[in-house]
């Protein structure tokens, strides 16, 4: 399955509250828990269309999720609270 780039960016910004760090070619998204950066991923500035495999798998891994969980996060079947619980339960 593929995810629309705009949907993923909106999810990271709004739902997850990731901090954006704009650099030359990429926008880094930093996810914080307890004031500490716990996950990071990036999207190219000019990225349009869909993100498919294998990039989607790499981004999901960077965010501490499976591809299915990342898709659920974007489709709003996985809440932000559930996401934070998943990424902090190992720490």
């Amino acid at each position: 399955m593929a995810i629309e780039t705009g949907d993923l960016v909106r999810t990271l910004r709004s739902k997850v509250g990731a901090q954006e760090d704009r650099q030359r070619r990429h926008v880094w998204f930093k996810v914080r828990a307890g004031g500490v950066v716990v996950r990071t991923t990036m999207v190219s500035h000019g990225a349009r269309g869909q993100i498919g495999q294998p990039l989607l798998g790499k981004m999901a891994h960077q965010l501490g999720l499976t591809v299915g969980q990342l898709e659920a996060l974007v489709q709003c079947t996985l809440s932000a609270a559930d996401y934070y619980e998943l990424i902090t339960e190992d720490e």
Side-chain angles (χ1 to χ4, degrees), residues 41-42 50-62 70:
T41 194
M42 69 176 176
Q50 296 185 333
I51 300 171
Q53 292 293 348
L55 182 58
L56 191 59
K58 290 179 182 179
M59 292 178 82
H61 179 73
Q62 291 168 343
L70 180 57

Side-chain angles (χ1 to χ4, degrees), residues 20-87:
E20 286 184 58
D21 181 8
R22 294 182 170 272
Q23 297 183 8
R24 284 187 168 182
R25 295 182 185 181
H26 300 96
V27 179
W28 284 90
F29 290 93
K30 298 176 182 180
V31 179
R32 295 181 181 272
V36 177
V37 175
V38 293
R39 299 284 187 255
T40 61
T41 194
M42 69 176 176
V43 177
S44 296
H45 276 293
R48 303 213 190 299
Q50 296 185 333
I51 300 171
Q53 292 293 348
L55 182 58
L56 191 59
K58 290 179 182 179
M59 292 178 82
H61 179 73
Q62 291 168 343
L63 292 168
L65 299 170
T66 65
V67 173
Q69 289 169 329
L70 180 57
E71 290 170 347
L73 186 67
V74 172
Q75 296 169 356
C76 296
T77 57
L78 179 69
S79 71
D82 291 340
Y83 170 65
Y84 278 100
E85 187 176 317
L86 283 170
I87 64 171

